[in-house]
Amino acid sequence: MRSSGGGAGPADMIGALSALVAYFGDLLDRKRADPADDLLSALLAVVDEGDRLSGDELTGMALLLLVAGHETTANLIGNAVHLLCGRPELRDRMAGDPALIPALVEEVLRLESPAATSTYRVTTRPITLGDTTIPAGEQVLVSLLAVNRDPARFPDPDTLDAARDDGGHLAFGHGIHFCLGAPLARLEARIALTRLLARHPGIDLAVPPENLRRRTGLLMHGLESLPVRLSPGPAL
């Protein structure tokens, strides 16, 4: 398992993003000329009080749906597999009873959220949090990893407890900023882990744990790569 973007320099990332923007621009042009029963065609057809999405808005929306839906879920699955490889008894329990996997996914979302922080917010008025007042016009970045380990909300918060009642974790945000793709991310993670453990119930790390490296950066929380040793399992 390898996370996308690992080791890429700024020039590589800018080049890749430019190529992706050009790809979506061409694809949107083709959808305008020949609409189909798909999401991009539907976005092109949206009209709100006579106003349509601009070309830049459509491209930005397509990029957001692609990148946000890929990077976060890939890291969620990777973080879950990493945690299971370090806990053989839990791995074996999940492999033997796939009905437990949805609860495990929620606990991984809490303990090792694939998004380390929220996106940037800007205060519109002074806000007091505890003993600190944040003036208006300041950038605010919320650590999702920290709030999801709040001992006032989650007893023994640094422990992976697959039977925990995880209602209230903020891995997907909150309120009007709640993640649009949360149901899909949960479903993808459940399916991926269920199928992986069915095929390879004894999956384990192929390298010493100390050789694994975390991704750098503020937003994504995951590993640069996750070398695993696949165990034989029943053919599916």
Side-chain angles (χ1 to χ4, degrees):
M1 292 182 167
R2 179 173 293 277
S3 174
S4 60
D12 295 326
M13 295 177 69
I14 291 172
L17 181 58
S18 298
L20 195 54
V21 168
Y23 168 80
F24 274 120
D26 178 67
L27 182 59
L28 287 165
D29 286 342
R30 286 186 277 130
K31 293 297 181 183
R32 285 189 187 92
D34 185 19
D37 183 17
D38 56 50
L39 179 59
L40 291 182
S41 297
L43 289 173
L44 282 163
V46 168
V47 178
D48 183 12
E49 296 182 356
D51 185 28
R52 290 181 180 271
L53 293 171
S54 69
D56 286 344
E57 288 171 335
L58 284 164
T59 301
M61 181 70 73
L63 283 168
L64 176 64
L65 291 171
L66 175 66
V67 176
H70 167 72
E71 284 287 322
T72 50
T73 307
N75 281 288
L76 169 58
I77 295 169
N79 290 346
V81 174
H82 177 222
L83 288 170
L84 288 175
C85 285
R87 296 163 174 79
E89 291 184 5
L90 179 61
R91 178 202 62 201
D92 294 346
R93 184 150 54 95
M94 294 296 139
D97 188 358
L100 300 175
I101 288 178
L104 172 70
V105 169
E106 295 304 310
E107 177 69 344
V108 174
L109 282 164
R110 182 198 68 82
L111 186 67
E112 297 289 353
S113 168
T117 63
S118 68
T119 52
Y120 284 101
R121 303 285 190 266
V122 177
T123 54
T124 59
R125 57 182 174 79
I127 297 177
T128 299
L129 298 173
D131 298 328
T132 301
T133 298
I134 305 171
E138 291 292 322
Q139 288 188 343
V140 177
L141 194 62
V142 178
S143 172
L144 299 178
L145 291 173
V147 299
N148 284 337
R149 296 191 184 207
D150 181 359
R153 175 63 185 81
F154 301 103
D156 199 10
D158 295 328
T159 298
L160 174 66
D161 180 1
R164 185 192 302 271
D165 175 10
D166 273 337
H169 73 69
L170 298 179
F172 290 119
H174 180 69
I176 64 171
H177 297 289
F178 189 79
C179 176
L180 180 67
L184 178 60
R186 285 182 163 116
L187 182 62
E188 288 178 313
R190 292 169 185 173
I191 291 172
L193 293 174
T194 299
R195 299 294 287 177
L196 179 64
L197 291 173
R199 289 177 179 271
H200 306 288
I203 186 172
D204 201 2
L205 291 178
V207 297
E210 58 269 22
N211 289 5
L212 298 175
R213 292 191 301 173
R214 289 279 178 190
R215 297 182 61 180
T216 58
L218 287 174
L219 185 57
M220 289 293 105
H221 175 67
L223 297 163
E224 288 189 0
S225 64
L226 181 60
V228 293
R229 184 179 299 107
L230 299 176
S231 67
L236 298 176

